[in-house]
Each structure stands twice: as C-alpha cells, then as structure tokens.
Amino acid sequence: MLIRLDSALPTPLFEQLASALRSAIIDGRVIGGERLPAARQLASSLGLNVHTVLRAYRLLRDEGLIELHRGRGAVVVVRIGGHAALAGAIHDLVDEAKLHDLPEGALLALVSAAYRSSPSSPSVLRTAPTRYS
Amino acid sequence: MLIRLDSALPTPLFEQLASALRSAIIDGRVIGGERLPAARQLASSLGLNVHTVLRAYRLLRDEGLIELHRGRGAVVVVRIGGHAALAGAIHDLVDEAKLHDLPEGALLALVSAAYRSSPSSPSVLRTAPTRYS
DNA sequence: CATATTGTGCTATTCGAACTGGAACAAGTT
DNA sequence: AACTTGTTCCAGTTCGAATAGCACAATATG
C-alpha cells in the first residue's frame, strides 16, 4: 500500500490518509480481517503526529470500515459480498459527470444533496419560504 | 423554488445556496435560459449579504451551470439533452451507499478519490513510499 | 504475573484559511 | 442620464487543522 500525503493540499492530512485507506478497503486491496499498522508506527513512517493518524483511524471506525482495540490495533471489518457494486456505481457516476464537464466540487455537492434528500432534518429554518422567477 | 438555509450547519451559507440552485438545475426544476433573481434582491429575501449570494452565483458560473452579466443578472445555461442520466447515476449510487450503511462523508470521499484517479497530479510527495501488512 | 504495546482522553497552543461584511467601481440595461 | 447588476479590493473575525505532551485503560505477550 502506497500512501502519498501532501500538506500543501487544502484537504486535511487526516482526511487524505483516511481517504487512501478507505479506497483501499472498498476496492478490495485490503482484505477484511487484515490489520493496519499501529498508529505510532504509521505516524513515524509518514512523518505525522500520532493524533493525526488516530483521527483517520477513528474516522474509518465511525464509518464502520475498521475496528479499533487497545493492544490489538486497527482491523478491517469483514463485509459479506464485498463492495464491488458500490465501487461500480461510483465509477459509473464519475464517468457520467466527466461527460458533462462537471467539476469535482459540483459533483460532490450533488451527491451530498441527494444523500440528504431522504431521511435528514433541515433543523433550524433561517429564512421564510421564498419564491423566485 | 423553496430555499432553506441554516447558518448553524457546518456547511457555508454560500455553499448551501449554491447547492440548492445546482440541484434545481440538474433536476430540471429550473429551465435553461431562465433568469435567477438579482443578487441583492435574493440576498435581502434570504437575509444574507450580497457577497454570499454572489459567491454562490460565481461558483455555479465556474461550474458552467449559469452565466453572469452585469446589468443582466444570472441566467441558466441551456444544456442539450438535460442532465437526466447524471441525476439517475447519482440516485443509484446513493441507494447503493445506504445499503452498505455508508455515511455521507465516506461516500463523498470515495467519489472524490475516484474523480481524481484519472488525470490528476499528486504534486508534492510528503512521505517516502511505505508498505504495510 | 509482569511488561510492553496500543488505543483513549484531555488540555493547550499555533497557524492559516475560510466566511462574512462594507464600500467603491465598471459594465450593461432602460 | 439614471438605474441595475455584477466585480473588485480590503478588513475583521471566527473556526478548524495540526501538533504536542501527558496520563490512563485494556489487551497482548513473555
């Protein structure tokens, strides 16, 4: 597993790290049950602070992709059937978006909006209902 | 068009506004050639600063969804064939993600990573190549 | 049992970016 | 000419990321 991090990018380091690991898990390059390196070890390998690595690990744990145990480290969760369908759907969407010359940010925002369409709550209402055009 | 904004959310106001307009365009609820309300007018309607609205407009312009002209306002770009296929691909992906109980942030990060897989550049290399288990 | 390993929790600090806001300006419309 | 509308420059303030150190708890290992 090759991990490239760039502190100059706007994306936080812990997010870059989590993203690399996440993609590896979804793509099946890391098998369920496999153990990730210890946080302190990975931190010194990448020249990062332990907290940064642990934050990435905690993020992946909250997403249900890995498990964290004291003394045991981080272990990839075993998923039945894997994530092939998900990976395929992602690929299809990206292809379609590039056909439309849609930038990354716009695509992400659209996916985000669609994700929240179903169950989420708008919570606080800042403005009164408005109509235009 | 009903627009709900919430300054308490972590998402910036200009992004919330852009997101609402973007979804409306992609979903076809706003037709190509149609004119969006003037920035100052929309700002006072929503209780926002003009900059916030204009930043949302500028964002949509950079994404190729609208055009901005002084004295004329913001006009939705006319797209041949519309965005039906794109909207469908987004819907499919979100469904698949929810089947896997994948949180929104994780989904967005995966899409982002897939988007950059093809042409992007890793630029600066912060760490030496590393291997783990 | 004793020791080392590994994640958890807490507090604090520094740094930079991002968001919001005000005012003047430029280009187009009427 | 007057008005409308987006553009630009500048400033203030808030917020999060990253780092750091330390003590603690649970697990593994000998």
Side-chain angles (χ1 to χ4, degrees), chain B residues 25 30-34 60-61 63-68 74-80 83:
Chain B
I25 294 173
V30 186
I31 314 167
E34 196 166 342
L60 295 177
R61 180 201 56 188
E63 294 171 1
L65 296 178
I66 67 176
E67 285 179 356
L68 292 178
V75 182
V76 178
V77 166
V78 181
R79 304 284 291 194
I80 49 174
H83 310 265

Side-chain angles (χ1 to χ4, degrees), chain B residues 78-94:
Chain B
V78 181
R79 304 284 291 194
I80 49 174
H83 310 265
L86 182 63
I90 291 174
H91 187 267
D92 292 345
L93 175 59
V94 170

